[in-house]
């Protein structure tokens, strides 16, 4: 799909006030992580303002109250790609960041790189989106009840639903062909731990298989 994650990019580019942030420990922290996302930042949009570069999970609450986005992020040392990253998730996302499917909560998060212009460790007005993972998304399920699983089966977007487990999951986007552009939600496949590459917003927009709006 040629238009993935545009609402997320616009949220930061336009200084969206619905975003909020939470600090996570960097790679030097020795506590046990509940989940890790690792990979390589292959390209980035140019730096528009001087700030601190952060790799983040951006939780998109698209089914609840209208794209309320909640960030879990960690600062990285390098501004210019290529460079590797490790995002260690020490806490679960907040409940308000998750989609309410009535039969249970289900979270979807994009992997992104943004410029924290004021250096406060959060995503807020003036911060700039620089990169996105065009092919992966992180899912979170607090509790996988039979009722929620049936709802997700009827939803039909996770092709290997039986591999979904409570807690964090990594999924790869599958480009779906033959669907109307105006009503297209590409499929997801749950995958084991694998590198999640990040590209510039422009490259992700051209080559990505994820779109939720």
């Amino acid at each position: 799909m040629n238009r993935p994650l545009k609402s997320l990019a616009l949220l930061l580019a336009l200084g969206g006030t619905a975003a909020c942030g939470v600090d996570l420990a960097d790679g030097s922290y020795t506590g046990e992580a509940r989940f890790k996302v690792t990979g390589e930042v292959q390209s980035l949009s140019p730096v528009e303002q001087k700030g601190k570069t952060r790799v983040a999970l951006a939780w998109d609450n698209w089914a609840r109250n209208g794209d309320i986005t909640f960030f879990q992020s960690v600062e990285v040392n390098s501004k210019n790609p290529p460079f590797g990253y490790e995002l260690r998730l020490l806490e679960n996302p907040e409940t308000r960041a998750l989609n309410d499917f009535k039969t249970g909560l289900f979270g979807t998060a994009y992997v992104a790189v943004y410029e924290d212009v004021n250096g406060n460790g959060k995503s807020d007005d003036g911060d700039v989106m620089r990169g996105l993972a065009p092919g992966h998304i992180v899912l979170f399920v607090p509790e996988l009840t039979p009722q929620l699983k049936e709802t997700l089966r009827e939803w039909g977007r996770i092709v290997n639903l039986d591999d979904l487990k409570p807690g964090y999951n990594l999924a790869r986007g599958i480009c779906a062909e033959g669907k109307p552009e105006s009503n297209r939600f590409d499929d997801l496949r749950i995958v084991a731990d694998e590198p999640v590459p990040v590209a510039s917003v422009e490259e992700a927009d051209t080559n990505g298989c994820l779109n939720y709006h």
Side-chain angles (χ1 to χ4, degrees):
M1 183 175 295
N2 292 328
R3 49 189 180 85
L5 319 188
K6 282 190 175 180
S7 64
L8 177 61
L10 287 172
L11 179 67
L12 280 181
L14 299 177
T17 57
C20 61
V22 64
D23 283 332
L24 297 184
D26 62 20
S28 64
Y29 183 74
T30 58
E32 182 178 356
R34 300 186 182 189
F35 193 72
K36 295 180 183 179
V37 182
T38 62
E40 183 179 77
V41 177
Q42 300 174 339
S43 63
L44 284 181
S45 302
V47 176
E48 296 183 16
Q49 301 184 55
K50 186 176 180 180
K52 296 182 178 180
T53 302
R54 301 186 73 88
V55 176
L57 284 189
W59 295 92
D60 189 8
N61 184 342
W62 49 268
R64 199 171 192 178
N65 295 319
D67 299 343
I68 297 174
T69 307
F70 171 80
F71 283 74
Q72 292 174 296
S73 67
V74 62
E75 184 180 341
V76 295
N77 294 324
S78 180
K79 288 182 175 292
N80 299 312
F83 62 85
Y85 72 88
E86 180 182 78
L87 179 55
R88 304 172 72 252
L89 301 170
L90 307 178
E91 302 291 342
N92 293 337
E94 292 188 3
T95 299
R96 63 191 175 91
L98 307 178
N99 301 293
D100 188 352
F101 279 10
K102 305 305 180 185
T103 54
L105 299 176
F106 179 72
T108 55
Y110 310 122
V111 182
V113 175
Y114 71 96
E115 201 69 16
D116 181 15
V117 175
N118 62 11
N120 67 354
K122 300 180 179 181
S123 171
D124 44 26
D125 289 1
D127 290 343
V128 180
M129 183 66 67
R130 297 185 60 203
L132 298 164
H136 290 82
I137 193 168
V138 173
L139 308 177
F140 183 80
V141 184
E143 183 180 8
L144 187 57
T145 64
Q147 294 81 5
L148 176 59
K149 194 168 185 178
E150 182 59 28
T151 296
L152 294 173
R153 197 177 302 279
E154 292 175 359
W155 184 48
R157 296 275 62 92
I158 301 176
V159 299
N160 57 338
L161 182 61
D162 289 338
D163 291 336
L164 184 71
K165 63 184 185 298
Y168 286 101
N169 298 262
L170 181 64
R172 187 189 304 129
I174 303 174
C175 289
E177 301 299 333
K179 295 181 181 179
E181 285 290 326
S182 61
N183 185 27
R184 194 164 161 182
F185 194 130
D186 289 353
D187 292 337
L188 302 172
R189 180 180 298 278
I190 306 296
V191 296
D193 183 33
E194 65 181 31
V196 178
V198 174
S200 68
V201 173
E202 294 77 12
E203 289 184 34
D205 188 47
T206 300
N207 301 319
C209 290
L210 298 175
N211 179 55
Y212 290 91
H213 305 283

